[in-house]
Amino acid sequence: MIKKSFQRTILLNIGAFVLVLILELLSGWMIIDRYDSPFSFFLWALKYAINIMAAIWINHFILIPYFFDKKRYFIYVLLVIGSIFFIAYIEAFANNSWPGVTKTFLFHFYTTGTGMAAFFLRRNMIIQRENVEKEKLQREMELIYLKEQVNPHFLFNSLNSIYSLSRQQSPETPDLVMQLSELMRYQLESSKKEVVLLKEELEFIENYLLLEEKRLSKRCTIEFLIEGDLFGLKISPMLLIPFVENAIKHGAQSTNEQSKIDISVTIKNTALHFNVVNSKPTMIPASNRNGLGLENVRRRLGLLYPNAHTLDIVDKANDYHVNLTINLTV
C-alpha cells in the first residue's frame, strides 16, 4: 500500500512538472525569436518550470508536513515567503535587479498558492474517500455482527419448540427435527448473502410458523396471509423473523390461554407492508418485551434501510401490533 502510494505521488509530480513545462513553452512561444535556437528557448522554459516546481515541492514535502500540519502557522508563513523570495532572487536578480526579483516573487507566490490549493483539494478528497471507506467497513462489520446474533437467537427459540414437543412425547417430533434442519440450512445459506428473494424469506417464515403451530397445538390460531406480486423483490435475510418470534414468545408461549397471531404481508408497487398482531395473555409475566431480537432488528433496519423504512410498534391492552413498511427498491 505504501509502495503504491509512493509511486502514485512520484507519477503525479512528474505529470505536474511536465504540465508546467508545457505551459511555459506555450506562454513563451510568441517570443521564441529572441533566443538563439529552439534548444536555448527550451532551456529557458525548463529553468522556469524547475524553479516553479522547486517552490511547490519545498512547500508540499517539507513546509506543510513539518510546520503547517504541526500547527506552527507563523513559522510556516515565514518559511513559505522566504523560500519563494530565495528562489525569485536566484532566478531574477542577476539579470533584472530588484524590480525583476519583485515581479518574479509575485509570480512564484501565485504559482505556489495555486499548487497549495491543488494539494489541499487532493488531500481533502483522499481524506473524504478514506472516511467513506472506513464508514463502509464499520457498517459492514456491524451488520455481520448483528446478523451473527440472529443465528443463536433463532436456534435457541427453535430448539425450545422441539424440546417442548419431545417432553410431550409427540410422534411428530422426528419430522419436526427434520423441518428444523431445513430451516437452519436456509438460515446458514442466507447468512452468507446480502439479500435474498422476498419469496424465499416468506417461505422460511411460513415453515417456521408451521413448526410453532404444531408445538402450540390447539391453543393458538396462526394466520399468515400474503397479498401482492413478490416477483423480483429482494430483502436482507432474517430481517422479519424476530417480529414473528416475539409474537410467539410474548403471546401464545407465555400463557395457556387461547391466543391468536395474525401476520399479513402486502406488496404495493415495491413497498413491503409487514404487519404482526398477537393477543396478550390476561396475566402478563414479568419480561422485557424489547429484548435482543427487536433491538437487533431496529439497528439492522437503521443500517440497511436508513431512509426507506418505517416501524411502528403499538402495545395495546389486549394485543400487540407491529407495522413495518420497507421500500425494497432502495
Side-chain angles (χ1 to χ4, degrees):
M1 182 63 71
I2 296 176
K3 185 178 179 180
K4 287 184 178 180
S5 177
F6 181 69
Q7 291 176 345
R8 193 182 300 115
T9 301
I10 291 177
L11 291 174
L12 183 65
N13 281 276
I14 291 174
F17 177 80
V18 172
L19 178 62
V20 170
L21 177 59
I22 292 172
L23 290 175
E24 286 298 317
L25 290 170
L26 292 175
S27 65
W29 195 259
M30 299 298 295
I31 59 171
I32 191 172
D33 295 337
R34 299 181 183 178
Y35 295 89
D36 297 336
S37 66
F39 181 70
S40 61
F41 169 68
F42 175 80
L43 290 178
W44 168 83
L46 180 63
K47 181 189 73 171
Y48 265 87
I50 291 173
N51 289 334
I52 291 171
M53 292 306 299
I56 292 174
W57 284 334
I58 290 171
N59 185 37
H60 285 191
F61 296 112
I62 299 175
L63 301 184
I64 289 178
Y66 291 100
F67 296 96
F68 183 88
D69 288 344
K70 294 182 178 180
K71 299 182 180 180
R72 300 174 181 174
Y73 301 126
F74 181 73
I75 298 176
Y76 169 76
V77 171
L78 290 179
L79 290 174
V80 167
I81 295 174
S83 63
I84 295 173
F85 180 81
F86 179 72
I87 291 172
Y89 179 83
I90 293 176
E91 182 178 332
F93 185 76
N95 299 323
N96 300 314
S97 68
W98 286 110
V101 172
T102 303
K103 183 178 179 180
T104 305
F105 170 81
L106 293 175
F107 172 73
H108 281 299
F109 189 83
Y110 168 77
T111 55
T112 303
T114 304
M116 284 179 63
F119 172 81
F120 284 113
L121 178 63
R122 179 173 176 268
R123 186 161 75 168
N124 186 56
M125 291 174 62
I126 292 172
I127 291 172
Q128 286 185 344
R129 185 170 65 247
E130 289 176 349
N131 289 337
V132 169
E133 290 175 355
K134 287 178 182 177
E135 271 184 33
K136 182 180 177 182
L137 179 61
Q138 181 65 29
R139 183 172 175 268
E140 289 174 352
M141 290 176 64
E142 188 169 359
L143 282 172
I144 290 170
Y145 170 74
L146 291 171
K147 192 181 290 185
E148 287 176 348
Q149 277 190 327
V150 174
N151 290 341
H153 192 264
F154 172 77
L155 178 60
F156 177 77
N157 288 342
S158 300
L159 288 175
N160 270 346
S161 300
I162 300 298
Y163 174 72
S164 177
L165 285 170
S166 65
R167 284 181 60 87
Q168 299 170 18
Q169 297 182 348
S170 171
E172 295 181 326
T173 302
D175 293 335
L176 293 178
V177 171
M178 290 300 298
Q179 191 174 344
L180 175 60
S181 70
E182 291 298 321
L183 291 173
M184 294 306 301
R185 180 179 290 108
Y186 170 80
Q187 189 192 38
L188 290 172
E189 291 176 355
S190 66
S191 65
K192 302 173 185 176
K193 304 174 183 177
E194 291 186 6
V195 291
V196 294
L197 289 173
L198 178 60
K199 180 176 180 293
E200 294 177 355
E201 188 72 6
L202 295 179
E203 286 175 354
F204 167 76
I205 291 175
E206 184 176 20
N207 290 330
Y208 177 72
L209 288 172
L210 289 173
L211 185 151
E212 290 293 339
E213 195 171 29
K214 290 177 182 178
R215 178 178 69 88
L216 297 170
S217 187
K218 297 179 180 180
R219 62 186 176 91
C220 181
T221 303
I222 299 177
E223 291 189 8
F224 185 50
L225 301 175
I226 301 175
E227 294 182 5
D229 185 10
L230 307 177
F231 181 76
L233 294 179
K234 295 183 178 182
I235 191 171
S236 179
M238 306 299 293
L239 190 63
L240 305 176
I241 192 66
F243 298 113
V244 179
E245 289 180 311
N246 274 272
I248 294 169
K249 178 181 178 182
H250 298 281
Q253 186 175 307
S254 61
T255 181
N256 291 323
E257 301 172 7
Q258 190 66 29
S259 58
K260 186 177 181 180
I261 298 173
D262 291 332
I263 301 173
S264 64
V265 178
T266 305
I267 305 298
K268 294 182 179 178
N269 296 324
T270 55
L272 165 69
H273 301 276
F274 184 74
N275 303 295
V276 181
V277 180
N278 66 273
S279 58
K280 293 169 61 177
T282 305
M283 299 296 294
I284 302 176
S287 64
N288 183 9
R289 180 66 190 237
N290 295 318
L292 173 64
L294 286 183
E295 289 304 315
N296 188 315
V297 78
R298 282 181 190 273
R299 185 62 183 146
R300 288 184 68 197
L301 283 167
L303 290 168
L304 292 166
Y305 306 99
N307 300 310
H309 84 279
T310 58
L311 176 60
D312 185 25
I313 299 178
V314 181
D315 191 355
K316 295 186 177 181
N318 298 318
D319 47 32
Y320 197 87
H321 294 249
V322 173
N323 300 303
L324 172 65
T325 301
I326 305 176
N327 185 354
L328 297 179
T329 61
V330 178

